[in-house]
Amino acid sequence: MKYKGIIFDLDGVVCFTDQYHYQAWKKMADRIGVYFDEKINNRLRGVSRMESLEIILERSTREYSEEEKKELAAEKNELYRELLGSMTPADLSGEVKETLDRLREGGAKLAIGSSSKNAKMILSRIGLEGYFDAVSDGTNISRSKPDPEVFLKAAEFLGLEPEECLVVEDAKAGIDAACAGGFDSAGLGEAAQYERTTYPLNSFSDLWVCCQE
Ligand code: B16
Ligand code: MG
């Protein structure tokens, strides 16, 4: 194996919660009368909750205090967690699970590197609680992607150096974070079209190929 560790972004890589993020933000935005659509939602990929709120409030005609922003973010998170409650292990694709198992059998250590503060709940909903060797998420960082902190922590939790790890991402902000931390990267979705991505992937199972010597 070319890499001793593989660090996976969660949302958009291991599973797909972007529709739930969208529905929850949309409900909050509609309530306060701020325009929000799927195109704006695309800008929220990999971005932290408070930074996502700032992007949504660009369309607002009034200013919000820090206290009000915290309340809006909490309102969205409550709606989002309610929606996450409907996720089950059936939301984990066979392709993802088989590829993860194969990489682990090949000798790689596996970690999560996610901006989400709900990562552990999501992992538990899709039946991956306790599966990863390390979980670095929104609860153990002070700076979100494109800062490399979440991936540097994941590598540290695995006891590995960045050069020994591959980061798998779907967001440009995540690829920028991987580059800033000195990691090679594999990209899905918009990250597969990004020139800074080391290995553009067509599908999750392609990972096996780029991890071979
Ligand atoms: P939360 P990832 C990110 O997850 C999402 O892509 C992004 O849309 C979200 O705002 C962020 O987590 C924070 O999520 O509100 O649950 O803390 O792609 O880094 O796994
Ligand atoms: Mg993502």
Side-chain angles (χ1 to χ4, degrees):
M1 289 279 261
K2 196 165 174 186
Y3 299 96
K4 289 187 182 167
I6 308 177
I7 303 171
F8 297 88
D9 172 57
L10 183 59
D11 181 18
V13 170
V14 172
C15 63
F16 299 89
T17 55
D18 50 349
Q19 270 310 309
Y20 299 139
H21 278 298
Y22 176 69
Q23 287 170 36
W25 282 127
K26 177 78 179 143
K27 208 163 178 181
M28 183 224 75
D30 283 352
R31 188 186 65 72
I32 61 170
V34 171
Y35 179 79
F36 180 61
D37 63 15
E38 299 252 9
K39 200 166 163 224
I40 302 171
N41 193 56
N42 277 336
R43 289 174 59 202
L44 312 184
R45 273 178 223 287
V47 174
S48 74
R49 194 180 310 162
M50 292 311 284
E51 284 162 338
S52 298
L53 178 64
E54 294 293 347
I55 293 173
I56 291 166
L57 293 181
E58 283 172 11
R59 295 285 191 124
S60 168
T61 48
R62 59 159 278 204
E63 293 289 318
Y64 286 86
S65 68
E66 286 312 306
E67 201 44 50
E68 286 174 315
K69 284 180 190 170
K70 274 190 202 152
E71 282 167 17
L72 291 175
E75 175 184 337
K76 179 267 174 175
N77 195 48
E78 206 170 302
L79 294 164
Y80 177 60
R81 286 177 67 92
E82 243 174 74
L83 293 165
L84 289 181
S86 69
M87 288 183 96
T88 71
D91 288 300
L92 176 67
S93 88
E95 180 192 0
V96 169
K97 184 61 168 55
E98 280 152 29
T99 307
L100 289 172
D101 288 345
R102 198 170 174 203
L103 292 166
R104 166 164 284 159
E105 280 156 25
K109 284 188 185 175
L110 309 180
I112 288 291
S114 165
S115 301
S116 177
K117 290 188 167 142
N118 295 301
K120 292 187 184 81
M121 176 185 181
I122 297 167
L123 288 171
S124 143
R125 298 290 329 167
I126 61 176
L128 287 182
E129 188 175 17
Y131 179 85
F132 289 90
D133 300 296
V135 175
S136 172
D137 63 21
T139 64
N140 63 258
I141 54 169
S142 52
R143 296 176 302 277
S144 71
K145 302 167 190 174
D147 189 282
E149 186 181 9
V150 73
F151 296 138
L152 291 172
K153 279 270 181 256
E156 186 189 319
F157 293 160
L158 291 178
L160 297 171
E161 295 300 322
E163 313 81 73
E164 298 176 305
C165 301
L166 178 72
V167 164
V168 189
E169 259 291 346
D170 70 311
K172 286 183 182 173
I175 297 292
D176 288 339
C179 291
F183 296 88
D184 281 355
S185 61
L188 287 158
E190 72 163 23
Q193 319 292 326
Y194 189 35
E195 66 277 6
R196 300 193 80 193
T197 301
T198 319
Y199 307 103
L201 305 178
N202 285 319
S203 69
F204 193 92
S205 57
D206 288 351
L207 258 183
W208 177 253
V209 180
C210 58
C211 286
Q212 302 309 301
E213 290 285 1

